[in-house]
Amino acid sequence: MSSIFPTYARFDVEIEEATGMKVTDTSGKTYIDFTSGIGVCNLGHRHPAVHEQIKLQLDKYWHVSNLYHNPIQERVAKALTSKSSGDLVFFSNSGAEANEAAIKLARKVTGKETVITFEQSFHGRTFATMAATGQNKVREGFGPMLEKFAYATYNDIESVKQLIDSNTAAIMLESIQGEGGVVPANQDFVDELIQLAKQYEVLVIIDEIQTGIGRTGKGFGYEHYGLDPDIITVAKGLGNGMPVGAMIAKEKYKESFGPGSHGSTFGGNPLAMAAAEAVIKNVFKPDFLNEVKNKGNYLMAELNKELKNIEMVKEVRGKGLMVGIECNQAVSSVVKELINQGVLILNASPNVLRLLPPLIVTYDEIDEVVGLIKQALVK
C-alpha cells in the first residue's frame, strides 16, 4: 500500500533511470520518452551540460536566504531578460507560483481586480491559479473560489469584449492551450486582444509554462505572434528537471513589487539556477531553435501523412515540438497501448494525444514513434 496521496492516476511504470530520450523502468524495459516529464526535460534526461553545472554548484553552496545577493540569480535573470521582452525577474519554484506572482503584480500595478482568462486554460492548482484555470474539473470540491476571475472563449474576441471593463486588471492566456487540447491561438484573435487591452489599459500576461524555453521552435511561444507582453511566466523547461519558475515583467512595474510585497524561501535556489543557466545557454542558440522548428515541421508532416486515412483522427495541430492529435473518441487506451510498445506519451483533454518530446529528439526517433502511433490508432 502506497503512503502517497493518490492525486495522480499513475500508469503501471516504475522508473529506475533515464538518459537523453530514453527512460528505463525497474524491470529493465526501456521507453522512448515523448513526454519530457510533461514538457520539462527539453534537453533530455540528465543532459551533460546541465548535469555539470549542478555538480559545480553543489560544491559551492546549496542555499542562502534571498536577503543576500546571489550572483547566479543575477546571471540567470539577465539571461532571461536578454532573451525575452521583459526587464525584471522574480524567481519561484514552479509554474503555479510564477502565475501567482503575475496575478498579484497585475492587481497591484493596476489597482483593479478582475483577471480574464479562458475556458479550457490551465494555470495551476493553488487557490489563485485554480481560480484562474478555465476548467471546472480543476475547481470542483474546494468550496468558493478566489473571486474576480472571468472566463472568455479562446480564439473568440467577442467573448472577451463581453467581459472586459474598467475594473479589469489583466488578460491572462497561453499562446497554445496545452492541457486544454494543444490549441494554438489565432493571429487575428491575438491582434484584436492586444488592441482591446490597450483600449482598457489592461495588462497582458502570457503563461509560457509549457510553451516557453524553446518548445515551439522559438524561445517563447508569444514570439510567433509578434507580442510584447507586460508579464511572462515560465517554469517546466527552464530547469530541465530541477524545480524552478520565473515571472518576467516590465521595468515600469518595479515599484509595485518592492520589499515585503512578495517572496519565496526557495525561489531562485542556487541548484535550480545552475540548471537554468545551463538550459538557457543551450536552448536559446539560434541553430538549436531552428532545428527544433525543422523537427517540429517534420513531425507534423509525418503525422499528417501517416494518419490521414485513420477514421479516428480528426486533426493534427501545434507548433514546434508541442503537437496534439485530436481524435473522435477517448485516447486513454491508445496511451496505454503505446506504453506497452515502449513509448511514453500524454493526453490533453480526453480526446487528444499530446506529444512533447525532448527537443533533442532525432528524426529516426520521430519516424519510429509516428509508426507506433499509427499502429496504436488502428489496433
Side-chain angles (χ1 to χ4, degrees):
M1 179 178 173
S2 175
S3 298
I4 299 172
F5 267 108
T7 53
Y8 290 89
R10 300 179 193 269
F11 295 104
D12 191 21
V13 178
E14 190 172 352
I15 305 303
E16 178 71 18
E17 62 178 312
T19 303
M21 287 290 303
K22 301 294 178 68
V23 170
T24 303
D25 68 18
T26 51
S27 71
K29 181 176 178 178
T30 298
Y31 307 81
I32 300 175
D33 185 4
F34 256 56
T35 74
S36 304
I38 316 184
V40 169
C41 298
N42 284 4
L43 289 172
H45 298 279
R46 295 197 298 126
H47 186 275
V50 181
H51 194 181
E52 184 60 29
Q53 284 286 99
I54 294 170
K55 284 170 62 179
L56 289 172
Q57 187 59 45
L58 273 169
D59 290 333
K60 293 181 178 180
Y61 60 98
W62 303 357
H63 175 80
V64 292
S65 169
N66 281 318
L67 293 171
Y68 309 110
H69 292 286
N70 188 328
I72 194 167
Q73 280 188 14
E74 289 289 350
R75 295 200 302 270
V76 175
K78 286 178 181 177
L80 281 171
T81 56
S82 72
K83 304 298 182 183
S84 71
S85 62
D87 305 303
L88 295 169
V89 178
F90 173 84
F91 287 113
S92 62
N93 304 289
S94 68
E97 288 185 19
N99 283 338
E100 285 267 354
I103 292 164
K104 284 182 67 173
L105 180 61
R107 286 185 168 185
K108 188 82 177 294
V109 165
T110 63
K112 297 187 286 185
E113 297 176 339
T114 304
V115 177
I116 296 173
T117 66
F118 293 87
E119 294 172 1
Q120 302 308 311
S121 63
F122 185 84
H123 299 293
R125 295 183 184 276
T126 63
F127 254 92
T129 58
M130 177 171 61
T133 293
Q135 299 186 51
N136 285 331
K137 66 180 182 181
V138 174
R139 305 192 297 264
E140 288 174 352
F142 295 101
M145 288 292 103
L146 185 67
E147 295 181 354
K148 303 300 182 180
F149 287 91
Y151 314 103
T153 302
Y154 198 66
N155 281 326
D156 180 354
I157 195 64
E158 293 303 319
S159 70
V160 182
K161 290 179 180 178
Q162 291 172 14
L163 296 174
I164 197 167
D165 60 26
S166 60
N167 195 40
T168 303
I171 300 171
M172 185 176 190
L173 76 157
E174 303 153 277
S175 59
I176 303 174
Q177 286 194 331
E179 302 293 328
V182 191
V183 181
N186 295 332
Q187 184 69 57
D188 289 348
F189 167 71
V190 172
D191 291 343
E192 291 184 79
L193 190 72
I194 296 306
Q195 290 305 311
L196 198 61
K198 289 179 179 177
Q199 178 185 339
Y200 282 86
E201 297 183 333
V202 165
L203 273 59
V204 175
I205 304 169
I206 303 294
D207 179 337
E208 293 274 358
I209 308 303
Q210 194 164 144
T211 51
I213 319 298
R215 173 57 55 186
T216 66
K218 289 185 179 291
F220 301 93
Y222 73 80
E223 295 179 74
H224 292 280
Y225 300 92
L227 288 175
D228 182 20
D230 296 286
I231 303 172
I232 307 154
T233 56
V234 293
K236 287 188 180 289
L238 179 59
N240 210 67
M242 295 295 286
V244 61
M247 179 194 69
I248 311 166
K250 297 292 189 183
E251 167 78 24
K252 59 186 175 182
Y253 307 136
K254 181 177 181 178
E255 297 308 314
S256 294
F257 250 27
S261 60
H262 199 48
S264 171
T265 296
F266 295 110
N269 172 269
L271 299 180
M273 293 293 94
E277 187 169 35
V279 166
I280 294 168
K281 285 178 181 177
N282 283 271
V283 166
F284 284 85
K285 293 176 181 176
D287 288 347
F288 184 89
L289 289 172
N290 190 55
E291 187 66 10
V292 173
K293 181 184 73 173
N294 291 340
K295 288 174 184 174
N297 290 340
Y298 181 78
L299 174 59
M300 289 281 285
E302 289 300 299
L303 287 169
N304 278 307
K305 181 179 71 174
E306 296 297 326
L307 308 184
K308 64 181 179 181
N309 295 322
I310 297 177
E311 187 176 346
M312 183 178 173
V313 176
K314 292 178 64 177
E315 183 184 16
V316 179
R317 57 180 178 252
K319 289 183 186 294
L321 290 171
M322 183 176 180
V323 176
I325 304 168
E326 184 177 359
C327 299
N328 55 26
Q329 63 188 66
V331 297
S332 57
S333 62
V334 179
V335 172
K336 290 178 182 177
E337 175 59 23
L338 284 164
I339 290 173
N340 290 337
Q341 296 302 318
V343 179
L344 300 184
I345 199 167
L346 302 162
N347 67 294
S349 79
N351 290 14
V352 179
L353 289 171
R354 178 171 35 158
L355 282 61
L356 295 169
L359 308 184
I360 60 168
V361 64
T362 67
Y363 290 95
D364 287 344
E365 287 163 338
I366 290 173
D367 288 341
E368 182 179 355
V369 171
V370 169
L372 290 169
I373 291 172
K374 182 179 180 180
Q375 290 178 29
L377 285 168
V378 299
K379 189 167 182 178

